[in-house]
Amino acid sequence: MRNIVLIVYYAALQFIPMRPFPGSTFGYILRRWALSKLAEYSGKNVVVKSRSYFGDGRRLTIGDNSQLGQGSRLNGRIIIGCNVLMGPDVIIMATSHGHTRTDIPIIAQGEAEERPVKIGNDVWIGTRSIILPGVSIGDHSIIGAGSIVTKSFPAYSVIGGNPAQLIRSRNSLTQLR
């Protein structure tokens, strides 16, 4: 059954249009259903936008009210908290290629050890951001569009750039009001 759902998702369900197109609500329901059958865990009210890629889903955990953005690509062990907003074309990678040896080509070195990625609760990931292996993003953080996140950041961080750097803390903004 799992393989059938996987085939149906990648052959058809991922291509059902999103809002405002007719039938989009049905598409959201079908993609949510497919993710619930494929992911290690899929919370309530998860939104899977069109063309989201998450492999076979076995190493993906996604919390309540979170979404996979349009055209997103997730590879490896990824844990996404609750209430996570993801823009289009976000890439989250927990896997990479081995490259430590110089005596053989990189292509022949296989995959490096997987390093899980953890996204906290109430995080906004901007359009076309890239999150690399081993990164943890703390709760209530914002990742600016186009950022390349190579290291972990604590809760309430506003980060951006290439490589992503701390711009400010959302916690200090709250204290100013």
Side-chain angles (χ1 to χ4, degrees), residues 129-146:
S129 293
I130 300 171
I131 301 173
L132 296 177
V135 167
S136 289
I137 303 296
D139 296 344
H140 315 289
S141 292
I142 298 172
I143 300 172

Side-chain angles (χ1 to χ4, degrees), residues 73-90:
R73 183 169 185 86
L74 289 72
N75 284 334
R77 178 78 176 122
I78 298 169
I79 301 163
I80 298 172
C82 296
N83 303 303
V84 173
L85 177 63
M86 185 183 297
D89 300 320
V90 167

Side-chain angles (χ1 to χ4, degrees), residues 150-168:
T150 60
K151 63 183 180 180
S152 297
F153 289 89
Y156 296 97
S157 295
V158 177
I159 62 174
N162 176 11
Q165 300 293 319
L166 181 67
I167 295 170
R168 67 179 167 268

Side-chain angles (χ1 to χ4, degrees), residues 80-154:
I80 298 172
C82 296
N83 303 303
V84 173
L85 177 63
M86 185 183 297
D89 300 320
V90 167
I91 298 172
I92 304 175
M93 307 290 291
T95 59
S96 185
H97 289 284
H99 60 274
T100 56
R101 296 191 51 190
T102 57
D103 58 328
I104 58 174
I106 292 172
I107 198 167
Q109 294 185 41
E111 285 191 17
E113 183 178 334
E114 184 174 80
R115 294 173 32 221
V117 172
K118 183 174 185 288
I119 308 296
N121 299 313
D122 184 34
V123 173
W124 177 14
I125 305 171
T127 300
R128 294 196 173 162
S129 293
I130 300 171
I131 301 173
L132 296 177
V135 167
S136 289
I137 303 296
D139 296 344
H140 315 289
S141 292
I142 298 172
I143 300 172
S147 297
I148 300 180
V149 186
T150 60
K151 63 183 180 180
S152 297
F153 289 89

Side-chain angles (χ1 to χ4, degrees), residues 2-3 6 10 37-40 53-60 74:
R2 183 173 215 293
N3 288 337
L6 196 61
Y10 285 112
K37 301 298 179 197
L38 297 170
E40 180 179 339
Y53 174 87
F54 45 83
D56 66 6
R58 291 179 195 266
R59 297 186 323 250
L60 174 62
L74 289 72

